[in-house]
């Protein structure tokens, strides 16, 4: 069956239809007819070749929700069936044989299938293929499709950062940036039981932050200096180059600064910001197949929902531009 995709032929170029015939389905593979797909800042970065990784034509998209259309012969039929509503996120498969996969860390697999980096086989299309059925997530009934889509990248990114860094319900935490990632991080951390402070350069986001569950709001950077030594965990969700030493100073001893937003350019910290207080500076990426399942269950159980603006796929260029210029409040989702 012909796949109709939405491609960009050059950096920053217009979106144009692209049709292709998929290869025969492999034994572990799953085809999903896409009904919704989130538009992530990473998608814009690939379309515009911000990272220097793009191979044109680019079909972006890696937050797909849809219906199982076909399954390979080795797919576990007790887990997935044709007609089932599912999600395919930022990672669509891994080798499940290397040391990282065998210890449950498939997100570090050197051969993982990064949906966003496939070139012309991304999820801005009528169909997306997962290379391994274990990365196709059945969706809880409580999650609407337009809400589930952004959870498959933005949601799992912040959930994994919280889970893997041992954040406790008694911790005082801060979320830097109230955007696509940050507004979900606030919700997850509040439902985790933490005391949550939102930090933003935009004072107008104070009310939204509290609506998402933040207990306090700080306007960076002046307010940050007054919060010195306040937090056990700080999660940076922005792409800006920040005064990282100030954010490390906001940590209590043995606190953690976790960066999940992708700063544009290198950044550095002074050794004395880290060493005397035994503080940690760590990165974060999307999660394993099991972490994705737990994240979706947690979101469904606790009423965590992204704030979304939906666009029919015919307006995909407008949706990309909406995200490109920071106008999304707080995630854009395409409807097919």
């Amino acid at each position: 069956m012909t796949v109709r995709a939405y491609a960009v032929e050059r950096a920053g170029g217009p979106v144009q239809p692209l049709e292709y015939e998929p290869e025969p389905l492999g034994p572990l593979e799953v085809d999903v007819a896409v009904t919704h797909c989130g538009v992530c800042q990473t998608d814009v970065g690939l379309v515009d070749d911000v990272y220097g990784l793009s191979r044109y034509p680019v079909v972006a998209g890696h937050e797909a929700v849809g219906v199982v259309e076909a399954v390979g012969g080795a797919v576990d039929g007790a887990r997935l069936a044709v007609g089932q509503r599912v999600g395919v996120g930022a990672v669509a498969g891994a080798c499940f044989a290397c040391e990282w996969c065998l210890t449950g860390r498939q997100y570090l697999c050197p051969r993982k299938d990064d949906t966003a980096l496939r070139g012309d086989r991304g999820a801005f299309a009528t169909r997306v293929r997962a290379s391994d059925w274990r990365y196709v997530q059945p969706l809880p009934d409580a999650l609407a499709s337009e809400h589930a889509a952004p959870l498959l990248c933005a949601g799992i990114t912040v959930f994994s950062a919280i889970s893997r860094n041992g954040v406790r319900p008694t911790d005082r935490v801060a979320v830097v940036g109230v955007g696509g990632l940050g507004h979900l991080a606030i919700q997850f951390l509040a439902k985790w039981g933490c005391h949550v402070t939102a930090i933003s350069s935009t004072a107008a986001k104070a009310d939204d932050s509290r609506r998402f569950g933040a207990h306090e709001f700080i306007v960076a950077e002046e307010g940050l200096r007054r919060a010195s030594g306040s937090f056990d965990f700080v999660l940076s969700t922005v792409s800006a180059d920040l005064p990282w030493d100030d954010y490390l100073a906001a940590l209590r001893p043995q606190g953690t600064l976790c960066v999940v937003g992708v700063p544009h350019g290198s950044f550095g910290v002074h050794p004395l910001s880290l060493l005397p207080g035994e503080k940690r500076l760590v990165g974060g990426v999307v999660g394993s197949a099991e972490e994705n399942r737990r994240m979706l269950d947690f979101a469904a159980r606790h009423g965590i929902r992204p704030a979304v603006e939906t666009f029919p796929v015919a307006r995909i260029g407008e949706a990309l531009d909406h995200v490109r210029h920071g106008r999304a409040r707080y995630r854009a989702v395409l409807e097919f």
Side-chain angles (χ1 to χ4, degrees), residues 247-270:
Y247 283 91
L248 287 167
L251 291 171
R252 300 177 67 222
Q254 296 187 328
T256 298
L257 170 59
C258 180
V259 179
V260 295
V262 183
H264 293 167
S266 60
F267 67 92
V269 299
H270 195 283

Side-chain angles (χ1 to χ4, degrees), residues 50-101:
V50 170
Y51 313 115
L53 301 173
S54 301
R55 295 179 289 115
Y56 294 95
V58 166
V59 176
H62 58 278
E63 297 177 341
V65 168
V67 177
V68 175
E69 195 169 65
V71 298
V75 173
D76 183 353
R79 160 80 180 244
L80 292 176
V82 172
Q84 187 173 5
R85 190 174 67 113
V86 296
V88 178
V91 177
C95 77
F96 285 90
C98 69
E99 61 175 302
W100 308 106
C101 288

Side-chain angles (χ1 to χ4, degrees), residues 8-14 46-50 56:
V8 172
E9 300 284 346
R10 56 180 172 79
L46 289 167
V47 164
D48 295 345
D49 200 19
V50 170
Y56 294 95

Side-chain angles (χ1 to χ4, degrees), residues 69-159:
E69 195 169 65
V71 298
V75 173
D76 183 353
R79 160 80 180 244
L80 292 176
V82 172
Q84 187 173 5
R85 190 174 67 113
V86 296
V88 178
V91 177
C95 77
F96 285 90
C98 69
E99 61 175 302
W100 308 106
C101 288
L102 292 175
T103 52
R105 295 174 287 176
Q106 298 94 357
Y107 50 88
L108 298 176
C109 175
R111 290 181 283 170
K112 68 181 180 294
D113 179 10
D114 285 303
T115 316
L117 300 179
R118 293 171 166 179
D120 62 356
R121 295 296 188 269
F124 289 164
T126 55
R127 188 198 299 174
V128 66
R129 176 169 292 180
S131 58
D132 193 296
W133 63 271
R134 285 164 285 192
Y135 257 98
V136 179
Q137 295 292 332
L139 298 176
D141 291 339
L143 290 175
S145 295
E146 66 270 21
H147 293 145
L151 293 175
L152 298 170
C153 177
I156 187 57
T157 296
V158 299
F159 181 89

Side-chain angles (χ1 to χ4, degrees), residues 7 37 44 93 181 195 231 238 312:
C37 191
V44 176
L181 289 169
H195 183 280
F231 306 116
V238 300

Side-chain angles (χ1 to χ4, degrees), residues 230-252:
S230 297
F231 306 116
D232 300 288
F233 181 73
V234 173
L235 182 64
S236 174
T237 69
V238 300
S239 58
D241 183 21
L242 300 177
W244 301 107
D245 290 309
D246 290 346
Y247 283 91
L248 287 167
L251 291 171
R252 300 177 67 222

